[in-house]
Amino acid sequence: LEPHIGLVNGVAVYGANLSSILEIEAVAKKARGRKGRLKVTGIIEEEEMSSSGRKVRRKSTAYCSVQNVISVLDNCFDLNCDSYDIHVNFPGGTPVDGPSAGIAMACSIYSAIKGIPVNNKVAMTGEISIQGKVKPIGGVVAKIAAAKKAGVKVFILPKDNYEKSLSQENSISIIPVDNIQQVIDLA
């Protein structure tokens, strides 16, 4: 695969220590004479899980996470996202929580608006605050394993998730970040 505009490799955890690459794609088109619209597709809105013999229902927070990302992009990069029709898609219908894919969604939308391709050998995970700070997430070891299996060469993760033992990895470059500007520069 070649690098593409708006296409980013996120990483999703499902089950106990299982994870996979989660492609996140975005397109952006200038809205003429009106406020832009936001569309989010490909997510499972609600899922039912069994845990210790008990069923639990949970709703996805992906749509709210995309709205947060729009605020970040406007605040940190002055992109004026309201002047674009933005469509974010999570191919494959994977249950997506949203927050841990924050930097991947931000990178995808930034790429779509700016028309800049994203390096397809990079994968990333990290929640993002509305000030653009990259926040820690769970499932790091499983996410790195999925990225390595997929042939990723660079893995971006929150600085607060980085441990000294990760520097021993030699088949993948693991780069800790603490803000969205660093993510955009690396991807």
Side-chain angles (χ1 to χ4, degrees), residues 49-63:
M49 305 178 310
S50 292
S51 175
S52 304
R54 155 188 113 146
K55 288 189 177 183
V56 177
R57 292 183 84 83
R58 72 177 194 154
K59 289 194 174 278
S60 171
T61 58
Y63 187 80

Side-chain angles (χ1 to χ4, degrees), residues 2-185:
E2 297 291 315
H4 287 282
I5 294 170
L7 182 61
V8 173
N9 293 317
V11 191
V13 171
Y14 57 94
N17 285 325
L18 299 173
S19 63
S20 65
I21 292 293
L22 170 69
E23 287 184 343
I24 299 170
E25 57 186 2
V27 292
K29 184 177 179 185
K30 197 80 163 146
R32 306 273 180 225
R34 62 173 168 75
K35 183 179 176 187
R37 297 183 187 108
L38 176 63
K39 186 187 324 186
V40 180
T41 57
I43 58 172
I44 295 173
E45 293 292 333
E46 189 172 327
E47 69 178 322
E48 187 171 283
M49 305 178 310
S50 292
S51 175
S52 304
R54 155 188 113 146
K55 288 189 177 183
V56 177
R57 292 183 84 83
R58 72 177 194 154
K59 289 194 174 278
S60 171
T61 58
Y63 187 80
C64 293
S65 294
V66 174
Q67 290 176 312
N68 286 344
V69 162
I70 296 295
S71 292
V72 170
L73 293 173
D74 282 342
N75 289 336
C76 296
F77 300 103
D78 199 26
L79 289 183
N80 193 16
C81 294
D82 274 350
S83 61
Y84 293 88
D85 287 329
I86 299 171
H87 183 170
V88 180
N89 185 44
F90 299 87
T94 307
V96 176
D97 220 4
S100 69
I103 65 172
M105 290 185 287
C107 191
S108 178
I109 295 169
Y110 181 92
S111 167
I113 289 173
K114 291 291 202 172
I116 302 169
V118 178
N119 185 338
N120 60 312
K121 295 295 183 188
V122 172
M124 59 188 72
T125 185
E127 186 170 348
I128 191 167
S129 76
I130 58 173
Q131 280 93 28
K133 301 291 181 207
V134 178
K135 303 300 215 172
I137 45 76
V140 171
V141 173
K143 289 177 178 181
I144 291 171
K148 287 185 347 186
K149 186 176 178 183
V152 166
K153 300 297 180 207
V154 176
F155 189 81
I156 301 170
L157 82 164
K159 185 175 168 183
D160 290 344
N161 283 115
Y162 189 78
E163 299 171 8
K164 200 108 172 128
S165 63
L166 295 177
S167 66
Q168 305 303 313
E169 286 289 339
N170 50 11
S171 62
I172 189 170
S173 177
I174 300 172
I175 303 176
V177 296
D178 61 8
N179 66 67
I180 190 61
Q181 183 65 59
Q182 293 171 318
V183 174
I184 298 298
D185 291 345

